[in-house]
Amino acid sequence: MLSLLSRSPARSLARSRSAMLAVLLVLFLVLFVTACGGGAGTSSFSQIDALKVVATTTEVADFARNVGGDKVEVHQILKPNVDPHDYEPSPLDLQAIAEADVVVKNGVGLEKWLDPVIASAGFEGAVVDAGNGVSIRMGGGSAEDAEGDPHIWHNPMNVKIMTANIEKAFAAADPADAAAYRANLAAYTAKIDALDAEIAEKIESIPADRRKLVTDHDSFGYYIERYKLTFVGSIIPSFDTSAELSGRQISDLVDKIRETGVTAVFSEASLPPKTADAIGREAGVKVVAGEDSLYGDTLGPAGSAGATYLQMEAHNTDTIVNALKDPAG
Protein backbone atom coordinates (compact mmCIF):
# COMPACT_ATOMS: atom_id res chain seq x y z
CA MET A 1 0.00 0.00 0.00
CA LEU A 2 1.36 3.42 -0.97
CA SER A 3 1.90 5.68 2.05
CA LEU A 4 1.33 9.40 1.46
CA LEU A 5 1.37 12.64 3.40
CA SER A 6 -2.11 14.17 3.54
CA ARG A 7 -2.72 17.82 2.69
CA SER A 8 -5.15 19.83 4.77
CA PRO A 9 -8.21 21.28 2.99
CA ALA A 10 -7.73 24.40 5.12
CA ARG A 11 -4.24 25.04 3.82
CA SER A 12 -5.25 27.80 1.37
CA LEU A 13 -7.06 29.69 4.13
CA ALA A 14 -4.10 29.29 6.46
CA ARG A 15 -1.74 30.60 3.79
CA SER A 16 -3.94 33.65 3.22
CA ARG A 17 -3.99 34.44 6.92
CA SER A 18 -0.23 33.97 7.20
CA ALA A 19 0.37 36.24 4.24
CA MET A 20 -1.84 38.93 5.78
CA LEU A 21 0.02 38.70 9.08
CA ALA A 22 3.32 38.98 7.24
CA VAL A 23 2.15 42.10 5.40
CA LEU A 24 1.01 43.68 8.67
CA LEU A 25 4.39 42.88 10.20
CA VAL A 26 6.36 44.48 7.41
CA LEU A 27 4.04 47.49 7.39
CA PHE A 28 4.72 47.91 11.11
CA LEU A 29 8.45 47.81 10.44
CA VAL A 30 8.23 50.50 7.77
CA LEU A 31 6.19 52.74 10.08
CA PHE A 32 8.70 52.13 12.87
CA VAL A 33 11.71 52.96 10.70
CA THR A 34 9.97 56.06 9.35
CA ALA A 35 9.08 57.23 12.85
CA CYS A 36 12.67 56.77 13.95
CA GLY A 37 13.94 58.76 11.01
CA GLY A 38 15.68 55.85 9.25
CA GLY A 39 19.32 56.65 9.70
CA ALA A 40 22.61 55.69 8.11
CA GLY A 41 23.31 52.04 7.58
CA THR A 42 19.65 50.95 7.43
CA SER A 43 19.39 50.72 3.61
CA SER A 44 18.91 47.40 1.86
CA PHE A 45 21.25 48.64 -0.91
CA SER A 46 24.94 49.49 -0.61
CA GLN A 47 25.82 50.95 -4.04
CA ILE A 48 24.90 54.61 -4.13
CA ASP A 49 25.13 55.13 -7.91
CA ALA A 50 23.61 51.82 -9.04
CA LEU A 51 20.04 51.33 -10.19
CA LYS A 52 18.26 49.76 -7.21
CA VAL A 53 16.38 46.65 -8.32
CA VAL A 54 14.21 44.23 -6.35
CA ALA A 55 13.65 40.89 -8.09
CA THR A 56 11.16 38.39 -6.77
CA THR A 57 12.30 34.94 -7.90
CA THR A 58 15.73 33.42 -8.26
CA GLU A 59 15.29 33.26 -12.04
CA VAL A 60 14.29 36.87 -12.65
CA ALA A 61 17.02 37.99 -10.23
CA ASP A 62 19.55 36.13 -12.39
CA PHE A 63 18.13 37.73 -15.52
CA ALA A 64 18.27 41.17 -13.91
CA ARG A 65 21.93 40.72 -12.97
CA ASN A 66 22.83 39.61 -16.48
CA VAL A 67 20.99 42.49 -18.15
CA GLY A 68 22.02 45.08 -15.57
CA GLY A 69 25.64 44.10 -15.10
CA ASP A 70 27.58 46.49 -12.89
CA LYS A 71 25.01 49.24 -13.42
CA VAL A 72 22.45 47.66 -11.06
CA GLU A 73 22.28 46.31 -7.53
CA VAL A 74 19.75 43.50 -7.14
CA HIS A 75 17.93 42.58 -3.95
CA GLN A 76 16.62 39.05 -4.49
CA ILE A 77 13.53 38.22 -2.44
CA LEU A 78 13.26 34.45 -2.88
CA LYS A 79 16.23 32.36 -1.84
CA PRO A 80 17.40 29.17 -3.62
CA ASN A 81 15.19 26.11 -3.10
CA VAL A 82 12.44 28.17 -1.40
CA ASP A 83 9.06 27.36 -2.93
CA PRO A 84 7.74 30.58 -4.58
CA HIS A 85 4.14 29.29 -4.45
CA ASP A 86 4.08 29.35 -0.65
CA TYR A 87 6.27 32.33 0.24
CA GLU A 88 5.64 34.84 3.02
CA PRO A 89 7.41 38.22 2.68
CA SER A 90 9.83 39.42 5.34
CA PRO A 91 10.30 42.92 6.78
CA LEU A 92 13.58 43.20 4.86
CA ASP A 93 11.74 42.52 1.60
CA LEU A 94 9.31 45.35 2.19
CA GLN A 95 12.10 47.73 3.15
CA ALA A 96 13.99 46.87 -0.04
CA ILE A 97 10.88 47.46 -2.16
CA ALA A 98 10.33 50.82 -0.48
CA GLU A 99 13.87 51.88 -1.49
CA ALA A 100 13.94 50.36 -4.99
CA ASP A 101 13.84 52.09 -8.37
CA VAL A 102 12.52 49.01 -10.18
CA VAL A 103 10.72 45.84 -9.07
CA VAL A 104 10.96 42.83 -11.39
CA LYS A 105 8.50 39.95 -11.09
CA ASN A 106 7.93 36.73 -13.01
CA GLY A 107 4.17 37.30 -13.32
CA VAL A 108 1.52 34.77 -14.40
CA GLY A 109 0.19 34.73 -10.84
CA LEU A 110 3.35 33.25 -9.31
CA GLU A 111 3.85 36.07 -6.79
CA LYS A 112 0.35 36.39 -5.34
CA TRP A 113 1.92 37.83 -2.20
CA LEU A 114 3.61 40.75 -4.01
CA ASP A 115 0.86 43.33 -4.66
CA PRO A 116 -0.10 43.91 -1.00
CA VAL A 117 3.58 44.19 -0.10
CA ILE A 118 4.15 46.82 -2.80
CA ALA A 119 1.10 48.74 -1.59
CA SER A 120 2.31 48.57 2.02
CA ALA A 121 5.78 49.79 1.03
CA GLY A 122 4.43 52.84 -0.78
CA PHE A 123 6.54 51.94 -3.81
CA GLU A 124 6.15 54.37 -6.72
CA GLY A 125 8.72 53.08 -9.19
CA ALA A 126 8.34 50.75 -12.15
CA VAL A 127 7.01 47.21 -11.69
CA VAL A 128 8.24 45.01 -14.52
CA ASP A 129 6.14 41.96 -15.39
CA ALA A 130 8.86 39.91 -17.06
CA GLY A 131 6.28 37.47 -18.42
CA ASN A 132 4.45 40.14 -20.41
CA GLY A 133 4.15 38.92 -24.01
CA VAL A 134 4.84 35.25 -23.28
CA SER A 135 2.27 32.76 -24.62
CA ILE A 136 0.88 31.15 -21.45
CA ARG A 137 0.01 27.47 -21.08
CA MET A 138 -3.42 27.00 -19.60
CA GLY A 139 -4.90 23.95 -17.93
CA GLY A 140 -3.64 22.42 -14.72
CA GLY A 141 -5.59 20.32 -12.32
CA SER A 142 -6.59 22.67 -9.48
CA ALA A 143 -8.23 25.99 -8.71
CA GLU A 144 -4.79 27.52 -8.12
CA ASP A 145 -4.04 27.12 -11.84
CA ALA A 146 -6.60 29.64 -13.15
CA GLU A 147 -3.99 32.15 -14.34
CA GLY A 148 -2.03 29.54 -16.26
CA ASP A 149 1.38 27.93 -15.91
CA PRO A 150 3.85 30.40 -14.36
CA HIS A 151 6.99 28.30 -15.05
CA ILE A 152 7.67 30.22 -18.25
CA TRP A 153 11.48 30.23 -17.88
CA HIS A 154 11.75 26.54 -18.80
CA ASN A 155 11.52 27.53 -22.47
CA PRO A 156 14.61 29.59 -23.36
CA MET A 157 12.63 31.42 -26.03
CA ASN A 158 10.42 32.81 -23.28
CA VAL A 159 13.53 33.96 -21.43
CA LYS A 160 14.44 36.08 -24.44
CA ILE A 161 11.10 37.87 -24.02
CA MET A 162 11.58 38.19 -20.26
CA THR A 163 15.06 39.66 -20.51
CA ALA A 164 13.95 42.08 -23.25
CA ASN A 165 11.21 43.34 -20.92
CA ILE A 166 13.77 43.81 -18.15
CA GLU A 167 16.17 45.68 -20.47
CA LYS A 168 13.45 48.11 -21.54
CA ALA A 169 12.56 48.87 -17.94
CA PHE A 170 16.18 49.42 -16.91
CA ALA A 171 16.80 51.72 -19.88
CA ALA A 172 13.67 53.74 -19.06
CA ALA A 173 14.65 54.09 -15.40
CA ASP A 174 18.31 54.82 -16.18
CA PRO A 175 18.61 56.34 -19.68
CA ALA A 176 22.26 57.26 -19.17
CA ASP A 177 23.22 53.58 -19.11
CA ALA A 178 20.81 52.37 -21.81
CA ALA A 179 23.63 51.39 -24.17
CA ALA A 180 25.18 49.15 -21.52
CA TYR A 181 21.85 47.41 -20.91
CA ARG A 182 21.40 46.81 -24.65
CA ALA A 183 24.90 45.34 -24.95
CA ASN A 184 24.38 43.10 -21.93
CA LEU A 185 21.06 41.87 -23.34
CA ALA A 186 22.65 41.05 -26.70
CA ALA A 187 25.43 39.05 -25.03
CA TYR A 188 23.01 37.12 -22.81
CA THR A 189 20.62 36.45 -25.71
CA ALA A 190 23.47 34.77 -27.60
CA LYS A 191 24.03 32.48 -24.61
CA ILE A 192 20.33 31.64 -24.45
CA ASP A 193 20.27 30.72 -28.15
CA ALA A 194 23.31 28.48 -27.66
CA LEU A 195 21.63 26.82 -24.66
CA ASP A 196 18.47 26.18 -26.65
CA ALA A 197 20.39 24.52 -29.48
CA GLU A 198 22.37 22.38 -27.03
CA ILE A 199 19.25 21.19 -25.22
CA ALA A 200 17.51 20.27 -28.48
CA GLU A 201 20.52 18.26 -29.64
CA LYS A 202 20.77 16.34 -26.36
CA ILE A 203 17.06 15.54 -26.18
CA GLU A 204 17.22 14.20 -29.74
CA SER A 205 19.74 11.62 -28.51
CA ILE A 206 17.05 9.95 -26.36
CA PRO A 207 15.20 7.14 -28.19
CA ALA A 208 11.80 8.50 -29.20
CA ASP A 209 9.84 5.91 -27.22
CA ARG A 210 11.69 6.87 -24.00
CA ARG A 211 11.07 10.64 -24.07
CA LYS A 212 8.49 10.51 -21.27
CA LEU A 213 8.49 12.58 -18.09
CA VAL A 214 6.97 12.16 -14.64
CA THR A 215 7.85 14.99 -12.25
CA ASP A 216 7.00 16.22 -8.76
CA HIS A 217 4.51 18.80 -10.04
CA ASP A 218 3.46 20.20 -13.39
CA SER A 219 6.33 22.65 -13.76
CA PHE A 220 8.07 21.54 -16.96
CA GLY A 221 5.30 22.06 -19.50
CA TYR A 222 7.12 24.75 -21.45
CA TYR A 223 10.26 22.62 -21.59
CA ILE A 224 8.24 19.59 -22.69
CA GLU A 225 6.51 21.54 -25.46
CA ARG A 226 9.72 23.16 -26.70
CA TYR A 227 11.69 19.90 -26.93
CA LYS A 228 8.85 17.56 -27.90
CA LEU A 229 8.81 15.29 -24.86
CA THR A 230 5.73 13.43 -23.60
CA PHE A 231 4.27 14.46 -20.26
CA VAL A 232 2.89 11.35 -18.55
CA GLY A 233 1.93 12.99 -15.26
CA SER A 234 3.04 14.66 -12.05
CA ILE A 235 2.84 13.68 -8.41
CA ILE A 236 1.06 16.96 -7.62
CA PRO A 237 -1.25 17.41 -10.64
CA SER A 238 -1.04 21.20 -10.63
CA PHE A 239 1.18 24.14 -11.54
CA ASP A 240 1.08 25.05 -7.82
CA THR A 241 2.87 22.92 -5.22
CA SER A 242 0.26 23.86 -2.61
CA ALA A 243 -2.53 22.03 -4.47
CA GLU A 244 -4.12 19.18 -2.52
CA LEU A 245 -2.99 15.65 -3.25
CA SER A 246 -5.32 12.65 -3.21
CA GLY A 247 -4.53 8.96 -2.86
CA ARG A 248 -6.66 8.23 -5.92
CA GLN A 249 -4.59 10.58 -8.08
CA ILE A 250 -1.42 8.87 -6.89
CA SER A 251 -2.80 5.41 -7.64
CA ASP A 252 -3.83 6.59 -11.11
CA LEU A 253 -0.32 7.94 -11.72
CA VAL A 254 1.28 4.65 -10.67
CA ASP A 255 -1.02 2.82 -13.12
CA LYS A 256 -0.14 5.27 -15.88
CA ILE A 257 3.59 4.83 -15.27
CA ARG A 258 3.23 1.09 -15.66
CA GLU A 259 0.99 1.35 -18.74
CA THR A 260 3.21 3.81 -20.64
CA GLY A 261 6.54 2.20 -19.85
CA VAL A 262 7.96 5.23 -18.05
CA THR A 263 11.38 4.34 -16.65
CA ALA A 264 12.05 7.17 -14.18
CA VAL A 265 10.34 9.58 -11.81
CA PHE A 266 12.11 12.93 -11.40
CA SER A 267 12.14 14.65 -8.02
CA GLU A 268 12.63 18.41 -7.68
CA ALA A 269 15.22 20.12 -5.52
CA SER A 270 12.74 22.45 -3.79
CA LEU A 271 10.32 19.66 -2.80
CA PRO A 272 10.75 16.75 -0.36
CA PRO A 273 11.41 13.45 -2.21
CA LYS A 274 9.32 11.22 0.10
CA THR A 275 6.28 10.89 -2.17
CA ALA A 276 8.38 10.48 -5.31
CA ASP A 277 10.30 7.67 -3.61
CA ALA A 278 7.05 5.96 -2.61
CA ILE A 279 5.67 6.17 -6.14
CA GLY A 280 8.90 4.85 -7.61
CA ARG A 281 8.80 1.83 -5.32
CA GLU A 282 5.14 1.17 -6.05
CA ALA A 283 5.57 1.48 -9.82
CA GLY A 284 8.88 -0.38 -9.89
CA VAL A 285 10.89 2.42 -11.54
CA LYS A 286 13.92 4.42 -10.50
CA VAL A 287 13.61 7.81 -8.79
CA VAL A 288 16.03 10.56 -9.75
CA ALA A 289 16.60 12.55 -6.56
CA GLY A 290 19.31 13.98 -4.32
CA GLU A 291 22.03 15.88 -6.17
CA ASP A 292 20.44 14.83 -9.46
CA SER A 293 17.06 16.39 -8.61
CA LEU A 294 15.65 18.73 -11.22
CA TYR A 295 15.51 22.44 -10.55
CA GLY A 296 11.86 23.23 -11.17
CA ASP A 297 10.69 26.31 -9.26
CA THR A 298 13.98 27.88 -8.17
CA LEU A 299 17.65 28.02 -8.90
CA GLY A 300 20.04 26.23 -6.58
CA PRO A 301 22.47 27.82 -4.11
CA ALA A 302 25.85 29.21 -5.15
CA GLY A 303 28.20 26.42 -6.15
CA SER A 304 25.40 24.00 -7.04
CA ALA A 305 24.63 22.58 -10.48
CA GLY A 306 21.71 25.02 -10.74
CA ALA A 307 23.27 28.21 -9.42
CA THR A 308 22.36 30.20 -12.55
CA TYR A 309 19.62 29.87 -15.13
CA LEU A 310 22.02 28.60 -17.80
CA GLN A 311 23.46 26.03 -15.38
CA MET A 312 20.00 24.97 -14.19
CA GLU A 313 18.70 24.17 -17.67
CA ALA A 314 21.92 22.40 -18.63
CA HIS A 315 21.78 20.31 -15.44
CA ASN A 316 18.12 19.44 -15.94
CA THR A 317 18.75 18.38 -19.51
CA ASP A 318 21.78 16.25 -18.67
CA THR A 319 19.85 14.59 -15.82
CA ILE A 320 16.85 13.81 -18.02
CA VAL A 321 18.98 12.53 -20.89
CA ASN A 322 21.17 10.34 -18.69
CA ALA A 323 18.17 8.81 -16.90
CA LEU A 324 16.07 8.15 -19.99
CA LYS A 325 18.81 6.93 -22.34
CA ASP A 326 20.07 4.25 -19.97
CA PRO A 327 17.48 1.45 -19.56
CA ALA A 328 19.38 0.04 -16.59
CA GLY A 329 19.29 3.36 -14.72
Side-chain angles (χ1 to χ4, degrees):
M1 177 65 69
L2 188 63
S3 175
L4 300 170
L5 292 176
S6 62
R7 291 173 177 260
S8 170
R11 181 171 178 179
S12 296
L13 179 59
R15 289 172 65 206
S16 299
R17 289 174 176 170
S18 296
M20 182 60 68
L21 288 174
V23 169
L24 292 174
L25 175 61
V26 291
L27 178 57
F28 171 79
L29 175 70
V30 169
L31 293 174
F32 176 78
V33 170
T34 303
C36 293
T42 61
S43 176
S44 300
F45 298 92
S46 60
Q47 300 176 34
I48 297 175
D49 296 331
L51 187 71
K52 298 176 179 61
V53 178
V54 168
T56 55
T57 70
T58 56
E59 292 85 5
V60 295
D62 188 42
F63 303 154
R65 293 187 184 101
N66 277 281
V67 172
D70 61 4
K71 304 299 181 183
V72 306
E73 182 177 0
V74 179
H75 173 90
Q76 177 181 309
I77 291 182
L78 285 160
K79 301 300 183 275
N81 290 337
V82 173
D83 188 348
H85 300 282
D86 203 17
Y87 182 72
E88 294 179 3
S90 72
L92 181 61
D93 297 333
L94 191 140
Q95 183 180 347
I97 290 173
E99 298 169 357
D101 301 308
V102 178
V103 171
V104 182
K105 67 177 183 177
N106 179 84
V108 202
L110 185 62
E111 305 99 332
K112 293 181 174 66
W113 41 266
L114 182 61
D115 287 346
V117 175
I118 286 177
S120 298
F123 175 73
E124 297 180 352
V127 177
V128 184
D129 185 339
N132 187 33
V134 171
S135 179
I136 305 302
R137 292 180 63 239
M138 303 306 294
S142 73
E144 290 88 348
D145 298 331
E147 294 184 64
D149 185 352
H151 306 89
I152 53 178
W153 59 87
H154 283 307
N155 180 342
M157 297 301 99
N158 291 343
V159 174
K160 292 172 69 171
I161 297 173
M162 298 171 78
T163 50
N165 288 335
I166 293 170
E167 182 271 330
K168 289 176 184 176
F170 286 0
D174 178 22
D177 291 316
Y181 300 136
R182 285 195 299 272
N184 292 341
L185 175 64
Y188 193 59
T189 297
K191 294 179 181 179
I192 294 171
D193 284 333
L195 171 73
D196 179 59
E198 182 179 350
I199 292 174
E201 181 179 1
K202 289 181 177 180
I203 295 296
E204 282 291 323
S205 72
I206 305 171
D209 63 345
R210 296 177 61 85
R211 297 175 196 171
K212 302 170 184 177
L213 281 189
V214 174
T215 56
D216 264 332
H217 79 299
D218 189 0
S219 58
F220 290 92
Y222 295 99
Y223 184 98
I224 288 166
E225 288 182 353
R226 176 66 181 170
Y227 304 111
K228 299 178 175 59
L229 294 153
T230 298
F231 179 61
V232 174
S234 57
I235 296 167
I236 303 171
S238 170
F239 304 143
D240 190 335
T241 57
S242 67
E244 293 180 17
L245 185 63
S246 74
R248 176 58 183 271
Q249 289 168 326
I250 293 300
S251 296
D252 288 346
L253 179 58
V254 169
D255 291 341
K256 200 170 184 181
I257 290 171
R258 291 169 174 165
E259 291 167 2
T260 58
V262 168
T263 57
V265 173
F266 293 90
S267 184
E268 296 176 34
S270 61
L271 294 171
K274 182 175 181 179
T275 307
D277 288 339
I279 286 175
R281 287 194 302 270
E282 186 77 4
V285 300
K286 63 186 173 183
V287 176
V288 181
E291 292 185 358
D292 291 330
S293 295
L294 301 183
Y295 293 96
D297 281 343
T298 81
L299 300 182
S304 72
T308 70
Y309 171 74
L310 298 176
Q311 289 176 302
M312 170 180 75
E313 295 299 339
H315 163 83
N316 286 351
T317 299
D318 288 341
T319 298
I320 290 168
V321 171
N322 291 337
L324 298 185
K325 281 182 69 174
D326 181 7

